[in-house]
Amino acid sequence: MITWLEFEKPVAELDKRITELRSAAAGDEVDIGTELDRLETKSADLLASTYKALTPWQKTQVARHPKRPHFLDYVEHAFDEFVPLGGDRLYGEDEAILGGFAKLNGRKVMLIGHEKGNDTESRLRHNFGMGKPEGYRKAIRLMEMASRFGLPVVTLVDTSGAFPGVEAEERGQAEAIARSTEACLALGVPMVSVIVGEGGSGGAVALASAERVLMLEHAVYSVISPEGCASILWRTAEKAPDAAEAMRITAQQLKKLGVIDRIVKEPVGGAHRNPAKAAQALGKAISEELDALSDVAPDELRRLREERFLLLGE
């Protein structure tokens, strides 16, 4: 069942009419094929035109859609032979950040990413994708392991930000994020990062400091949430749509600014409408980027990362 967003209401009303027409005609001999075809075409066209003109705030809503695919969905549809590896060997396990060995189109990779969960129980277990220090230290451990075995690193970023709780700060959240960012920049193997939903603050950068950064078409990437920005600047979260517009958080805006390298198209109506198709497009894009990086020397990879981040904002 589709969960409709506020701006999708005209499409929802059309779909409701289609469902009612089917129900009313059930068992009758009246031919409704022509009318159904007309309404379905109209609905598809309206959905396409709506998603073609989304505002930054509307894209934020799509990126947060409860049915949007997350890390484990992409593992299921785009990767093979995933072997999860847990623990940071210092404190414990963090299920907000998952990782392990995997295969992508026959290529062995180290796959790491945020997992938000898809129902109340799993969202609580995965802490809504908000990583704790042990999660980022686990990511560091896995990146170092990938470097030793010569495996490229792929990260799927989807978090509103690192966990801000007192216990996380007590265990060194800021230091863990900084070390994870440092580990990305120091890798001697190719690294491709993809913002698949929300890319929020340092919690995202800690897994996205790669030489190639991609974004799904309706993902968002920002230093702070629109609501957080609005609360600081205007003292009210109601200004979140204005903040989203001002911060340049969409894939299209960030591509123009040079913050990301490539936009991966989503199925019409967002990745949540066809997770398998979205995952296939994502897997294809990552494979192409890894092919292009496969013969690049370790020192050149580090130089590419250093250059891309030092040039931001020029």
Side-chain angles (χ1 to χ4, degrees), residues 208-228:
S209 297
E211 65 271 23
R212 298 294 290 176
V213 181
L214 286 57
M215 277 183 76
L216 288 188
E217 183 180 3
H218 302 306
V220 293
Y221 192 19
S222 60
V223 71
I224 190 173
S225 70
E227 296 93 332

Side-chain angles (χ1 to χ4, degrees), residues 27 86 249 259:
I249 64 176
V259 175

Side-chain angles (χ1 to χ4, degrees), residues 64-81:
R64 296 171 175 172
H65 196 285
K67 295 298 182 182
R68 191 172 179 84
H70 302 132
F71 181 86
L72 291 175
D73 299 300
Y74 291 112
V75 168
E76 178 184 356
H77 295 296
F79 295 86
D80 299 311
E81 299 180 28

Side-chain angles (χ1 to χ4, degrees), residues 98-117:
L98 304 180
F101 297 115
K103 279 189 176 180
L104 176 62
N105 297 324
R107 175 190 277 115
K108 294 178 181 179
V109 301
M110 181 65 78
L111 180 64
I112 306 169
H114 300 94
E115 172 59 46
K116 286 184 171 181

Side-chain angles (χ1 to χ4, degrees), residues 42-84:
K42 185 177 180 181
S43 175
D45 290 345
L46 181 58
L47 182 66
S49 62
T50 298
Y51 270 77
K52 195 174 181 180
L54 294 181
T55 67
W57 177 240
Q58 289 170 337
K59 281 185 179 287
T60 303
Q61 294 173 281
V62 177
R64 296 171 175 172
H65 196 285
K67 295 298 182 182
R68 191 172 179 84
H70 302 132
F71 181 86
L72 291 175
D73 299 300
Y74 291 112
V75 168
E76 178 184 356
H77 295 296
F79 295 86
D80 299 311
E81 299 180 28
F82 178 60
V83 180

Side-chain angles (χ1 to χ4, degrees), residues 154-201:
V154 175
T155 61
L156 306 182
V157 177
D158 188 10
T159 181
S160 58
F163 182 59
V166 173
E167 63 269 34
E169 297 299 334
E170 290 174 341
R171 295 199 295 274
Q173 183 72 289
E175 184 267 350
I177 289 173
R179 294 292 185 187
S180 183
T181 305
E182 180 185 42
C184 293
L185 297 173
L187 274 174
V189 293
M191 181 177 184
V192 176
S193 297
V194 189
I195 315 300
V196 295
E198 286 184 279
S201 192

